[in-house]
Amino acid sequence: MKLTPPTPEEHAPYYTDYVQRAKARGDVFAALPLQLDELRSALGALSDSQARFKPGPQEWSIKEVVSHLIDTERVFAYRFLRISRKDKTPLPGFEQDDFVRESGADEITLANLLDEFEFVRRSTILMIQNTKESAFSEMGSASGAPISARALAYMIVGHVEHHMASLKEKYLPGI
């Protein structure tokens, strides 16, 4: 199955960057597992001390970014599950800064964080691959805005792309 990109009506404008980044990757199904290797390749050789690097006092550390990727993957995957299964219950937003602050990510080894992301992503991959084609066009509501299951699949890829670009630009040159 080839998944076509969502239309602007299938997601809030806030998510347009994520959708565009996923579109640039081409095949969303192929990008999902490739991002696992890309994240490990970019970060896997860092020491735990290096992974605590923050480009500024108000920025997240590298470990906190990975924790944020894990949390957001779970939230987006849950939204995908609910919406693809025709659940019309409005889904709440989440405060990413609160999640990061409460994660304790800097006290977790980078290796464990990367493993956790891999396990969550592999679950996401199977869920998306095993979803029937018609379910991708299902619409629901999240964070007070309409959203489709298709948009969520693109957002899952695009969110990681967004943070990988940030890591390469703002974090990794400083290490």
Side-chain angles (χ1 to χ4, degrees), residues 3-174:
L3 192 60
T4 59
T7 65
E9 296 78 30
E10 293 180 56
H11 59 84
Y14 174 83
Y15 297 115
T16 300
D17 176 61
Y18 297 166
V19 170
Q20 293 303 319
R21 288 176 186 272
K23 282 172 62 173
R25 286 299 301 248
D27 183 356
V28 170
F29 292 109
L32 286 162
L34 288 175
Q35 286 180 324
L36 289 170
D37 296 334
E38 293 163 1
L39 189 63
R40 277 206 192 269
S41 177
L43 304 179
L46 298 177
S47 69
D48 280 331
S49 176
Q50 289 173 314
R52 285 190 176 96
F53 172 77
K54 295 181 180 190
Q58 301 302 314
E59 301 283 336
W60 296 336
S61 71
I62 292 170
K63 286 182 176 189
E64 288 171 329
V65 170
V66 176
S67 177
H68 169 70
L69 292 175
I70 295 164
D71 289 344
T72 304
E73 182 96 3
R74 284 185 168 123
V75 170
F76 285 2
Y78 177 70
R79 289 175 178 176
F80 178 90
L81 173 69
R82 298 276 304 265
I83 291 166
S84 69
R85 301 300 197 267
K86 299 185 179 190
D87 185 341
K88 301 301 181 191
T89 306
L91 301 171
F94 74 105
E95 180 46 58
Q96 64 183 14
D97 289 319
D98 291 345
F99 275 45
V100 167
R101 184 178 51 254
E102 296 302 323
S103 72
D106 281 339
E107 305 312 313
I108 302 169
T109 67
L110 179 60
N112 280 350
L113 288 167
L114 292 172
D115 285 346
E116 185 176 356
F117 178 76
E118 179 175 351
F119 295 140
V120 172
R121 172 53 65 94
R122 292 206 183 280
S123 174
T124 300
I125 290 167
L126 289 170
M127 177 179 61
I128 289 174
Q129 286 176 342
N130 293 333
T131 297
K132 61 184 178 179
E133 190 170 353
S134 62
F136 284 94
S137 61
E138 290 297 327
M139 294 292 297
S141 173
S143 301
I147 193 159
S148 71
R150 175 185 14 256
L152 282 157
Y154 272 77
M155 288 162 46
I156 288 167
V157 169
H159 180 255
V160 171
E161 289 296 306
H162 168 82
H163 285 287
M164 286 297 293
S166 174
L167 285 166
K168 289 175 184 171
E169 177 186 323
K170 293 173 27 180
Y171 289 77
L172 298 178

